Protein backbone atom coordinates (compact mmCIF):
# COMPACT_ATOMS: atom_id res chain seq x y z
CA UNK A 1 0.00 0.00 0.00
CA UNK A 2 0.94 3.62 -0.26
CA UNK A 3 0.78 4.49 3.41
CA UNK A 4 2.21 3.37 6.72
CA UNK A 5 0.42 0.23 7.80
CA UNK A 6 0.00 -0.85 11.41
CA UNK A 7 -1.41 -4.01 12.91
CA UNK A 8 -3.39 -4.92 14.84
CA UNK A 9 -5.66 -1.89 14.78
CA UNK A 10 -7.09 -2.91 18.12
CA UNK A 11 -5.70 -5.15 20.81
CA UNK A 12 -7.29 -6.03 24.13
CA UNK A 13 -5.11 -7.96 26.51
CA UNK A 14 -4.96 -8.94 30.13
CA UNK A 15 -2.56 -7.37 32.55
CA UNK A 16 0.71 -9.25 32.61
CA UNK A 17 0.54 -10.54 29.04
CA UNK A 18 3.01 -9.59 26.31
CA UNK A 19 1.91 -7.81 23.13
CA UNK A 20 3.53 -7.14 19.78
CA UNK A 21 2.58 -4.27 17.53
CA UNK A 22 3.71 -4.15 13.93
CA UNK A 23 4.53 -1.31 11.56
CA UNK A 24 5.06 -1.55 7.80
CA UNK A 25 6.67 1.67 6.58
CA UNK A 26 6.27 3.41 3.27
CA UNK A 27 8.70 1.88 0.79
CA UNK A 28 11.97 3.78 0.74
CA UNK A 29 11.42 5.52 4.06
CA UNK A 30 14.52 4.90 6.11
CA UNK A 31 13.47 6.72 9.26
CA UNK A 32 10.86 5.11 11.51
CA UNK A 33 9.41 6.40 14.76
CA UNK A 34 7.13 4.97 17.42
CA UNK A 35 4.96 7.30 19.48
CA UNK A 36 2.40 6.71 22.18
CA UNK A 37 -0.76 8.80 22.10
CA UNK A 38 -2.69 9.11 25.35
CA UNK A 39 -5.56 11.37 26.26
CA UNK A 40 -4.21 14.65 27.50
CA UNK A 41 -0.61 13.58 26.99
CA UNK A 42 -0.12 14.33 23.34
CA UNK A 43 2.35 12.26 21.39
CA UNK A 44 5.05 10.73 23.52
CA UNK A 45 8.19 9.71 21.63
CA UNK A 46 9.25 6.12 22.25
CA UNK A 47 11.96 5.08 19.79
CA UNK A 48 13.53 6.09 16.48
CA UNK A 49 15.26 3.99 13.81
CA UNK A 50 17.38 5.40 11.01
CA UNK A 51 18.72 2.98 8.45
CA UNK A 52 21.30 0.66 9.97
CA UNK A 53 22.26 3.03 12.77
CA UNK A 54 21.71 2.16 16.41
CA UNK A 55 18.18 3.19 17.38
CA UNK A 56 17.44 6.11 19.66
CA UNK A 57 15.67 4.40 22.55
CA UNK A 58 15.62 7.40 24.82
CA UNK A 59 11.83 7.58 24.95
CA UNK A 60 11.09 4.02 26.03
CA UNK A 61 9.34 4.34 29.41
CA UNK A 62 10.65 1.13 30.95
CA UNK A 63 12.59 -2.02 30.15
CA UNK A 64 9.30 -3.75 29.45
CA UNK A 65 9.27 -1.89 26.14
CA UNK A 66 11.47 -2.87 23.23
CA UNK A 67 11.44 -2.51 19.48
CA UNK A 68 13.15 -4.02 16.50
CA UNK A 69 13.41 -3.11 12.89
CA UNK A 70 14.36 -5.98 10.63
CA UNK A 71 16.12 -5.33 7.36
CA UNK A 72 15.47 -1.64 7.64
CA UNK A 73 11.81 -2.18 6.90
CA UNK A 74 9.16 -3.68 9.17
CA UNK A 75 9.28 -2.74 12.84
CA UNK A 76 7.82 -4.49 15.86
CA UNK A 77 7.15 -2.82 19.20
CA UNK A 78 6.96 -5.32 22.04
CA UNK A 79 5.51 -4.61 25.46
CA UNK A 80 6.17 -7.29 28.05
CA UNK A 81 4.10 -7.88 31.17
CA UNK A 82 1.60 -5.23 30.17
CA UNK A 83 0.18 -2.87 32.77
CA UNK A 84 -3.05 -0.90 32.69
CA UNK A 85 -1.12 2.32 32.25
CA UNK A 86 0.18 0.95 28.94
CA UNK A 87 -3.30 1.41 27.49
CA UNK A 88 -2.96 3.95 24.67
CA UNK A 89 -2.79 4.30 20.92
CA UNK A 90 0.63 3.39 19.58
CA UNK A 91 1.52 5.29 16.44
CA UNK A 92 4.18 4.51 13.91
CA UNK A 93 5.50 7.24 11.62
CA UNK A 94 8.07 7.20 8.86
CA UNK A 95 9.90 9.68 6.69
CA UNK A 96 12.39 9.53 3.88
CA UNK A 97 15.51 10.06 5.93
CA UNK A 98 18.26 12.13 7.39
CA UNK A 99 18.91 15.60 6.09
CA UNK A 100 15.58 15.99 4.50
CA UNK A 101 12.98 18.38 5.71
CA UNK A 102 10.30 15.90 4.93
CA UNK A 103 7.25 15.37 6.98
CA UNK A 104 6.33 12.40 9.09
CA UNK A 105 3.76 10.04 7.63
CA UNK A 106 1.68 8.31 10.26
CA UNK A 107 -0.06 4.99 10.40
CA UNK A 108 -3.57 4.67 11.75
CA UNK A 109 -2.27 3.39 15.04
CA UNK A 110 -2.75 0.33 17.22
CA UNK A 111 -5.14 0.88 20.09
CA UNK A 112 -4.03 -1.15 23.09
CA UNK A 113 -6.35 -1.81 25.99
CA UNK A 114 -4.96 -3.60 29.03
CA UNK A 115 -7.63 -4.98 31.32
CA UNK B 1 12.13 19.88 28.98
CA UNK B 2 8.86 20.95 27.43
CA UNK B 3 9.77 21.99 23.92
CA UNK B 4 6.31 22.56 22.49
CA UNK B 5 3.43 24.02 24.45
CA UNK B 6 -0.16 24.14 23.35
CA UNK B 7 -1.97 25.89 26.19
CA UNK B 8 -5.51 25.07 25.08
CA UNK B 9 -6.68 21.47 25.32
CA UNK B 10 -10.14 22.36 24.07
CA UNK B 11 -11.28 25.20 21.84
CA UNK B 12 -14.77 25.88 20.56
CA UNK B 13 -15.71 28.50 18.01
CA UNK B 14 -18.79 29.22 15.95
CA UNK B 15 -18.83 28.56 12.23
CA UNK B 16 -17.60 31.61 10.38
CA UNK B 17 -15.70 32.99 13.36
CA UNK B 18 -11.93 33.41 13.34
CA UNK B 19 -9.89 30.72 15.04
CA UNK B 20 -6.39 30.75 16.49
CA UNK B 21 -4.69 27.72 17.96
CA UNK B 22 -1.70 28.67 20.04
CA UNK B 23 1.70 27.04 19.95
CA UNK B 24 4.87 28.13 21.72
CA UNK B 25 8.19 26.41 21.45
CA UNK B 26 11.47 26.32 23.28
CA UNK B 27 14.56 25.92 21.12
CA UNK B 28 17.72 27.97 20.80
CA UNK B 29 18.56 27.05 17.23
CA UNK B 30 16.67 27.55 13.98
CA UNK B 31 13.45 25.63 14.43
CA UNK B 32 11.46 23.76 11.88
CA UNK B 33 7.81 23.81 12.87
CA UNK B 34 4.78 21.93 11.71
CA UNK B 35 1.09 21.67 12.36
CA UNK B 36 -0.43 18.20 12.17
CA UNK B 37 -4.15 17.48 12.19
CA UNK B 38 -6.17 14.41 13.06
CA UNK B 39 -9.76 14.33 11.85
CA UNK B 40 -12.21 11.93 13.41
CA UNK B 41 -11.34 8.32 12.56
CA UNK B 42 -8.46 9.37 10.33
CA UNK B 43 -4.72 9.17 10.75
CA UNK B 44 -2.57 12.06 11.83
CA UNK B 45 -1.48 14.07 8.81
CA UNK B 46 0.57 17.13 8.03
CA UNK B 47 -1.41 20.35 7.74
CA UNK B 48 1.37 22.79 7.08
CA UNK B 49 5.01 23.56 7.81
CA UNK B 50 6.55 26.95 8.39
CA UNK B 51 9.25 26.69 5.74
CA UNK B 52 6.63 26.40 3.02
CA UNK B 53 4.85 29.58 4.07
CA UNK B 54 1.72 28.15 2.55
CA UNK B 55 -1.98 28.31 3.28
CA UNK B 56 -3.71 24.97 3.52
CA UNK B 57 -7.49 24.69 3.85
CA UNK B 58 -7.49 28.39 4.69
CA UNK B 59 -5.08 27.93 7.61
CA UNK B 60 -1.86 29.88 7.98
CA UNK B 61 0.84 29.88 10.62
CA UNK B 62 3.62 32.40 10.99
CA UNK B 63 6.80 31.70 12.85
CA UNK B 64 7.51 34.47 15.36
CA UNK B 65 11.03 33.93 16.63
CA UNK B 66 10.82 36.83 19.05
CA UNK B 67 7.82 35.35 20.80
CA UNK B 68 8.86 31.75 19.99
CA UNK B 69 5.39 31.11 18.68
CA UNK B 70 3.83 29.37 15.71
CA UNK B 71 0.13 30.00 16.11
CA UNK B 72 -2.32 28.48 13.63
CA UNK B 73 -4.98 30.82 12.28
CA UNK B 74 -8.00 30.75 10.05
CA UNK B 75 -10.21 33.77 9.45
CA UNK B 76 -13.49 31.87 9.02
CA UNK B 77 -13.85 28.49 10.71
CA UNK B 78 -15.80 25.72 8.99
CA UNK B 79 -17.48 22.69 10.54
CA UNK B 80 -15.06 20.39 8.76
CA UNK B 81 -12.19 22.02 10.66
CA UNK B 82 -13.28 20.22 13.81
CA UNK B 83 -10.33 17.99 14.66
CA UNK B 84 -7.35 17.51 16.93
CA UNK B 85 -4.41 19.76 16.10
CA UNK B 86 -0.81 19.14 17.12
CA UNK B 87 2.06 21.55 16.86
CA UNK B 88 5.45 19.91 16.30
CA UNK B 89 9.07 21.02 16.42
CA UNK B 90 11.79 19.21 14.50
CA UNK B 91 15.36 19.35 15.77
CA UNK B 92 17.74 17.12 13.87
CA UNK B 93 16.02 13.77 13.50
CA UNK B 94 13.72 14.28 16.46
CA UNK B 95 10.16 15.55 16.39
CA UNK B 96 8.59 16.98 19.53
CA UNK B 97 4.84 17.30 19.71
CA UNK B 98 2.60 19.42 21.87
CA UNK B 99 -0.26 17.92 23.83
CA UNK B 100 -2.74 18.92 21.15
CA UNK B 101 -5.78 21.16 20.92
CA UNK B 102 -9.19 19.72 20.18
CA UNK B 103 -11.07 22.20 18.00
CA UNK B 104 -14.84 22.09 17.75
CA UNK B 105 -16.59 24.32 15.26
CA UNK B 106 -20.18 24.89 16.30
CA UNK B 107 -22.68 25.12 13.43
Amino acid sequence: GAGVSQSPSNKVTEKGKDVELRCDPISGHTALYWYRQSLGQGLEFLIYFQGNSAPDKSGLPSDRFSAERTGGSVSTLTIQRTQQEDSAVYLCATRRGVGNTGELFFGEGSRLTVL
Amino acid sequence: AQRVTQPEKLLSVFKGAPVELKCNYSYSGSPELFWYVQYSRQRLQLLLRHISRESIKGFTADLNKGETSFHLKKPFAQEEDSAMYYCALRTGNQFYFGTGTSLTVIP
Side-chain angles (χ1 to χ4, degrees):
Chain A
V4 178
S5 178
Q6 291 189 245
S7 61
S9 54
N10 276 288
K11 176 72 177 179
V12 180
T13 191
E14 293 178 346
K15 178 181 170 181
K17 295 282 177 71
D18 298 350
V19 296
E20 282 190 354
L21 307 176
R22 177 187 167 105
C23 174
D24 277 281
I26 294 171
S27 177
H29 281 200
T30 60
L32 186 149
Y33 301 74
W34 282 99
Y35 288 90
R36 180 164 67 177
Q37 183 181 33
S38 308
L39 272 176
Q41 300 297 317
L43 270 68
E44 176 189 3
F45 166 73
L46 297 177
I47 188 168
Y48 159 68
F49 295 91
Q50 172 58 55
N52 295 321
S53 302
D56 176 353
K57 304 180 182 180
S58 59
L60 294 178
S62 77
D63 59 8
R64 296 187 295 105
F65 288 73
S66 63
E68 289 185 342
R69 189 176 184 193
T70 53
S73 182
V74 170
S75 178
T76 302
L77 176 69
T78 301
I79 309 173
Q80 295 178 309
R81 304 181 303 282
T82 52
Q83 303 294 311
Q84 288 182 333
E85 60 263 28
D86 300 335
S87 296
V89 176
Y90 290 82
L91 294 174
C92 177
T94 70
R95 71 183 183 103
R96 275 197 296 271
V98 176
N100 111 8
T101 56
E103 66 194 84
L104 290 176
F105 290 84
F106 283 86
E108 293 185 320
S110 292
R111 180 178 296 278
L112 174 66
T113 303
V114 182
L115 302 176
Chain B
Q2 184 77 23
R3 289 182 171 80
V4 180
T5 304
Q6 293 181 251
E8 305 136 330
K9 287 192 175 181
L10 301 170
L11 184 63
S12 295
V13 300
F14 285 100
K15 177 182 173 181
V19 62
E20 180 179 66
L21 290 84
K22 292 185 168 52
C23 172
N24 288 90
Y25 66 90
S26 171
Y27 183 59
S28 57
S30 293
E32 186 176 356
L33 288 148
F34 304 81
W35 277 98
Y36 279 81
V37 61
Q38 189 169 29
Y39 301 103
S40 179
R41 286 188 282 277
Q42 293 187 29
R43 66 184 68 198
L44 202 59
Q45 60 188 283
L46 178 70
L47 180 62
L48 54 78
R49 70 189 88 182
H50 91 271
I51 59 171
S52 300
R53 301 186 65 80
E54 57 201 345
S55 174
I56 302 292
K57 299 185 178 183
F59 284 97
T60 58
D62 291 320
L63 176 61
N64 185 322
K65 290 188 178 181
E67 295 181 358
T68 59
S69 69
F70 188 56
H71 304 327
L72 183 68
K73 300 177 184 179
K74 185 170 182 176
F76 307 104
Q78 303 299 312
E79 289 178 64
E80 56 265 29
D81 297 329
S82 295
M84 190 74 176
Y85 292 81
Y86 291 94
C87 182
L89 166 70
R90 175 181 175 255
T91 65
N93 297 317
Q94 197 51 275
F95 288 76
Y96 299 95
F97 287 82
T99 50
T101 298
S102 177
L103 174 66
T104 300
V105 180
I106 304 164

